[in-house]
């Protein structure tokens, strides 16, 4: 067994469309590597600060993620004739080395919110004009049902 405590740089595209770590940002990893009969069992945590934008108001968002990592890196992958999912989901020891990046990426990205918000009470932007709804709580647009357009033309003709 061996423990590994390191700060490694974040790889490119470490996140999703709205939030992620910038390339080169610090990822603190604290993992234990254990030799088991099938390969190397990696358990531990990864800590990273994520940056992005609120999905409602587009303000900057920053928060910390601590993700648990537990993956088995096998010495020999399952034969390719087996179930396709089994082969795709395996991490392997290659040339007496393991690549922690895919396992870290999977663990951290699963912790990310699908639609990050700057705060729970964020009201976002108006979909019609883009004004911040929290700055003008009474803001609204009169939206007429397009099915009534023919009748409104008759009312306009009546007014003339």
């Amino acid at each position: 067994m061996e423990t590994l405590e390191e700060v490694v740089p974040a790889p490119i595209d470490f996140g999703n469309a709205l939030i992620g770590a910038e390339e080169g940002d610090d990822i603190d990893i604290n993992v234990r590597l254990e030799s088991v009969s099938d390969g190397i069992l990696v358990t531990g945590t990864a800590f990273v600060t994520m940056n992005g934008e609120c999905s409602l108001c587009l303000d900057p968002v920053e928060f910390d993620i601590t993700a648990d990592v537990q993956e088995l890196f096998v010495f020999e992958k399952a034969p390719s004739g087996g179930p396709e999912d089994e082969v795709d989901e395996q991490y392997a020891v290659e040339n007496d080395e393991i690549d922690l990046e895919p396992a870290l990426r999977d663990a951290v990205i699963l912790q990310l919110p699908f639609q990050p918000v700057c705060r729970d009470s964020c009201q976002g932007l108006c979909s019609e004009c883009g004004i911040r709804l929290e700055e003008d709580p009474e803001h609204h647009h009169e939206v007429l049902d397009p099915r009534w357009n023919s009748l409104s033309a008759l009312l306009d003709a009546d007014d003339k």
Side-chain angles (χ1 to χ4, degrees):
M1 181 188 78
E2 188 176 323
T3 59
L4 176 66
E5 291 183 32
E6 279 194 38
V7 177
V8 297
I12 192 167
D13 294 332
F14 198 72
N16 61 29
L18 292 176
I19 194 158
E22 295 290 323
E23 182 179 6
D25 282 356
D26 291 342
I27 301 176
D28 296 324
I29 58 171
N30 182 2
V31 293
R32 183 174 66 194
L33 309 164
E34 292 181 76
S35 176
V36 294
S37 62
D38 293 340
I40 299 171
L41 180 64
V42 178
T43 56
T45 58
F47 174 82
V48 63
T49 300
M50 302 301 248
N51 300 294
E53 56 188 28
C54 176
S55 62
L56 299 176
C57 70
L58 305 179
D59 279 349
V61 175
E62 178 179 308
F63 59 91
D64 298 329
I65 296 259
T66 301
D68 293 326
V69 179
Q70 183 172 2
E71 293 294 340
L72 176 63
F73 289 79
V74 294
F75 292 125
E76 293 182 27
K77 282 193 166 190
S80 59
E84 193 171 312
D85 292 339
E86 185 177 314
V87 174
D88 289 342
E89 292 181 7
Q90 287 184 335
Y91 298 106
V93 177
E94 295 176 3
N95 300 325
D96 294 331
E97 294 181 356
I98 61 172
D99 183 9
L100 284 176
E101 180 187 329
L104 289 175
R105 183 181 298 272
D106 290 347
V108 170
I109 291 177
L110 286 174
Q111 297 293 320
L112 293 177
F114 182 67
Q115 294 183 329
V117 292
C118 55
R119 61 191 174 285
D120 290 336
S121 62
C122 181
Q123 295 180 8
L125 305 173
C126 174
S127 62
E128 296 290 322
C129 64
I131 191 171
R132 289 185 175 281
L133 295 176
E134 62 191 31
E135 292 174 1
D136 184 8
E138 303 294 320
H139 179 79
H140 70 281
H141 296 272
E142 185 176 338
V143 179
L144 298 176
D145 190 334
R147 296 175 290 183
W148 296 104
N149 282 345
S150 310
L151 291 177
S152 66
L154 290 174
L155 287 175
D156 290 341
D158 232 12
D159 290 340
K160 291 180 186 176

